[in-house]
Amino acid sequence: MTFDAPSLSALAEEAKAWRRTIHQHPELLFDLPKTAALVTQKLTEFGCDDVVGGIAKSGVVAVIKGKNGPGRTIALRCDMDALPMAEQTNLPYASKVENMMHACGHDGHTAMLLAAARRLAETRDFAGKVVLVFQPAEEGGGGGRLMIEEGLLERFGIEEVYGMHNEPGLAVGSFATRSGPVMAGGDRFVITIIGKGGHAASPHLSHDPVVAMGHMITALQTIASRFTDPLDSVVLSLTYVEAGSDRALNVIPAAVRIGGTIRTMQPKTRAAVEARFRDVVTMTAKLFSAEAEIDWRPGYPVTVNDPEKTKLAAAAARTVAGAANVDDDHPQTMGSEDFSYMLEKRPGAFIWLGNGDSADLHNPAYDFNDDAIVHGLRYWLALVQQRLGKTTAD
Ligand code: NI
């Protein structure tokens, strides 16, 4: 340990101040000028070997080389973006921007990874390289995918990837993970059913798309209930319908629209469900002499943890939290996460960090729990020690 290295609790205390600054200035998707500037400034100040901005527009990447010679290169990833919603916390450090708030804790994720960067840059007691990835646009923009498309993994020689997200309801100081699929793939769609409009009194002269829609809504529900293995998870929710007008109740409309989302837990199932969905839509429309156009909007893939790396991540978590506080068989969730793109390309693991008894993610009353910072920080350091040899931890 260098003489002026602060203890981890003092460092966590500093990170709490960074977290609150970020919390007050939330930014959305790829448009993160303040957050990226703060991250870049801190990483430079800490003496990271390389600090590269502008990856996926506003992403920032830093490299720290260990002092114990060559070794593997691992990436620690966090997200930086907030959500377009109004904060209702009444906190002294609440958002200063109207209709934007850090309601998913990405402010805390950013602060914890900055703290880890500072410590690792000071001690460097490991072999190989640590690449710190601060990504934009996790909340719907696919920032992780864009970073990969821009060559993140090759450019920095990343061999393994690790991510962390806070979880409300999980005790502070606890961790949870799982081998294999952990979070769902989430796709969206809008279907336009095109029939032939006409007088409501003469349905035989039209091709009624409303009746076709009714059958389609029912038929689509059979994809999960009749087509999928009951032990595999599929959710299909129709969340949008649009047809006709309440000012023209004697008119059969020419076209109607329905939309929704499909969540799946296995990459194979995701592809099979999409194919089945297309068949059901096309054939149901045809049954009623209508046509269907499908606007398929692919979302985040299934998040799949590598079994071996998950074991190592859980072992690192146990060294900081104790065996009783690490659940390595945590239930899957039907939410989606764009760290999935990185896990598609490199082995690694995603872990949840307890946020205690807080409001849920994406809730206007949510706040990241500052008491979790020291635990997340210690996990990142333990993980580096686990994968790259020794690093100083107190
Ligand atoms: Ni999030």
Side-chain angles (χ1 to χ4, degrees):
M1 193 195 297
T2 56
F3 180 69
D4 58 350
S7 76
L8 290 187
S9 45
L11 178 52
E13 203 51 39
E14 265 193 79
K16 176 170 139 182
W18 307 337
R19 202 282 287 185
R20 293 182 174 196
T21 300
I22 298 168
H23 190 89
Q24 285 185 305
H25 305 282
E27 297 175 301
L28 303 183
L29 294 169
F30 291 101
D31 191 18
L32 312 172
K34 286 188 182 138
T35 314
L38 181 144
V39 166
T40 304
Q41 185 221 321
K42 295 271 175 225
L43 292 170
T44 310
E45 201 179 292
F46 301 157
C48 295
D49 296 305
D50 287 310
V51 180
V52 185
I55 300 183
K57 295 171 190 163
S58 47
V60 184
V61 176
V63 180
I64 302 172
K65 291 184 195 117
K67 67 181 180 190
N68 302 337
R72 55 172 86 84
T73 299
I74 69 168
L76 314 181
R77 167 273 196 185
C78 78
D79 37 21
M80 301 189 285
D81 56 323
L83 283 153
M85 55 191 280
E87 178 162 346
Q88 293 169 18
T89 60
N90 295 318
L91 290 164
Y93 55 86
S95 168
K96 290 185 169 171
V97 189
E98 210 179 320
N99 290 322
M100 290 190 201
M101 94 173 266
H102 269 289
C104 203
H106 300 185
D107 49 346
H109 303 165
T110 303
M112 289 188 294
L113 195 56
L114 281 175
R118 174 159 174 191
R119 184 60 161 209
L120 291 169
E122 276 165 1
T123 58
R124 295 176 184 265
D125 199 6
F126 56 89
K129 280 186 226 168
V130 176
V131 180
L132 304 130
V133 178
F134 296 80
Q135 81 149 77
E138 195 286 323
E139 298 287 1
R145 182 184 59 198
L146 190 57
M147 288 189 112
I148 288 169
E149 284 170 5
E150 291 185 9
L152 170 79
L153 300 171
E154 298 76 16
R155 177 170 176 185
F156 296 97
I158 294 167
E159 294 164 87
E160 301 174 13
V161 291
Y162 296 91
M164 173 162 53
H165 203 292
N166 77 94
E167 180 162 278
L170 190 66
V172 171
S174 303
F175 293 85
T177 187
R178 178 190 186 88
S179 175
V182 286
M183 297 184 80
D187 300 311
R188 294 169 196 199
F189 57 84
V190 174
I191 304 161
T192 306
I193 307 172
I194 304 150
K196 186 179 157 203
H199 199 295
S202 311
H204 59 295
L205 300 178
S206 73
H207 298 149
D208 188 351
V210 176
V211 174
M213 175 171 75
H215 282 261
M216 201 178 285
I217 287 170
T218 313
L220 286 171
Q221 292 308 320
T222 65
I223 295 175
S225 69
R226 303 289 86 184
F227 177 72
T228 308
D229 183 334
L231 298 177
D232 192 2
S233 296
V234 172
V235 176
L236 187 154
S237 289
L238 296 167
T239 52
Y240 160 68
V241 297
E242 190 184 306
S245 158
D246 64 356
R247 286 171 300 159
L249 297 173
N250 55 357
V251 174
I252 292 171
V256 302
R257 277 151 64 90
I258 49 180
T261 176
I262 300 179
R263 304 286 167 115
T264 47
M265 211 28 111
Q266 305 281 349
K268 229 170 67 187
T269 308
R270 185 186 183 207
V273 163
E274 183 189 340
R276 182 70 179 174
F277 168 88
R278 289 181 182 279
D279 284 351
V280 167
V281 169
T282 310
M283 291 191 242
T284 309
K286 199 166 181 203
L287 185 61
F288 296 94
S289 302
E291 273 174 43
E293 283 171 3
I294 297 168
D295 173 10
W296 184 257
R297 303 174 185 177
Y300 296 163
V302 183
T303 305
V304 183
N305 274 348
D306 177 81
E308 188 214 330
K309 302 297 179 276
T310 307
K311 270 188 206 152
L312 296 167
R318 278 194 289 274
T319 66
V320 305
N325 297 314
V326 179
D327 175 6
D328 60 7
D329 190 25
H330 196 59
Q332 299 168 321
T333 82
M334 296 311 283
S336 297
E337 162 63 57
D338 93 341
F339 187 57
S340 52
Y341 291 110
M342 298 191 187
L343 283 173
E344 277 187 336
K345 302 285 184 199
R346 296 289 186 273
F350 192 65
I351 199 164
W352 286 288
L353 165 75
N355 200 53
D357 187 20
S358 71
D360 216 349
L361 301 174
H362 296 206
N363 183 297
Y366 169 85
D367 188 36
F368 180 85
N369 193 331
D370 285 321
D371 293 340
I373 290 177
V374 72
H375 302 286
L377 166 60
R378 291 175 70 97
Y379 167 72
W380 281 137
L381 300 177
L383 184 69
V384 170
Q385 187 170 45
Q386 170 75 249
R387 299 307 296 133
L388 306 182
K390 277 170 63 83
T391 183
T392 311
D394 64 7

